[in-house]
Amino acid sequence: MFRRRHDERRAPSAPVASDAIEIVARELVALVGVFEHAHARISELSDAGGKRIAGASGSGLIPALYARAGLASVQGLRGIPLLVDEIGLLEAAVINLESYEGNEVVLVTGYELLDDFARRERNSRPLRRRHGILTFADEVGDPTQVL
């Protein structure tokens, strides 16, 4: 039987180099709506492949966002992390929606999110990985809620 040496033990949550802003569930729903609409419009009007469309629309980020929201919910936390770098995906989705004649309501939503997120960037917070999912390093979840 093999035993792990004491110095090889991993910390329960490792710090992550990137910073993030906090979004709430309502904003997550709006963000996913923009990404999904961008994906649909680009898919409909472009010959690009699936990977390129996912990148241009931001839709490739949706599973990670839902995982972060799920962990926040299970841990009793309100905030969902959105990496500062990921805001660029929203910007790309909005620009592509302009090019691909996206729905005006979705475009307005995208611009409002961009404005809100830009104001929050100066208050970004450090992250850590918990169960492989990004969460804020400075938040303590409900210790009775273990995955």
Side-chain angles (χ1 to χ4, degrees):
M1 185 183 249
F2 294 98
R3 279 198 222 169
R4 201 183 254 184
R5 291 185 1 210
H6 178 68
D7 59 341
E8 292 177 350
R9 289 186 187 161
R10 291 185 174 195
S13 60
V16 177
S18 298
D19 285 343
I21 62 168
E22 180 177 314
I23 63 173
V24 294
R26 173 185 47 79
E27 292 168 321
L28 173 67
V29 170
L31 182 60
V32 168
V34 172
F35 288 159
E36 287 179 337
H37 182 62
H39 186 92
R41 293 302 296 156
I42 295 168
S43 294
E44 184 179 325
L45 300 172
S46 171
D47 293 333
K51 196 171 188 175
R52 177 165 270 164
I53 291 171
S57 67
S59 64
L61 182 60
I62 294 172
L65 290 172
Y66 280 140
R68 294 173 199 168
L71 181 61
S73 175
V74 166
Q75 294 292 311
L77 306 172
R78 182 173 173 261
I80 303 160
L82 178 68
L83 294 174
V84 170
D85 293 344
E86 292 169 343
I87 297 170
L89 293 172
L90 174 59
E91 187 174 12
V94 169
I95 289 168
N96 283 313
L97 279 173
E98 286 179 349
S99 299
Y100 290 98
E101 301 171 1
N103 179 294
E104 285 186 36
V105 173
V106 176
L107 272 168
V108 168
T109 299
Y111 279 118
E112 288 173 349
L113 288 171
L114 283 171
D115 288 342
D116 290 345
F117 296 168
R119 281 191 292 276
R120 290 187 225 167
E121 277 187 62
R122 62 184 156 278
N123 297 322
S124 64
R125 296 165 47 197
L127 296 170
R128 65 178 173 183
R129 286 199 187 277
R130 202 155 188 212
H131 308 290
I133 301 169
L134 293 176
T135 187
F136 290 110
D138 56 353
E139 283 188 331
V140 178
D142 181 354
T144 62
Q145 301 295 325
V146 179
L147 295 179

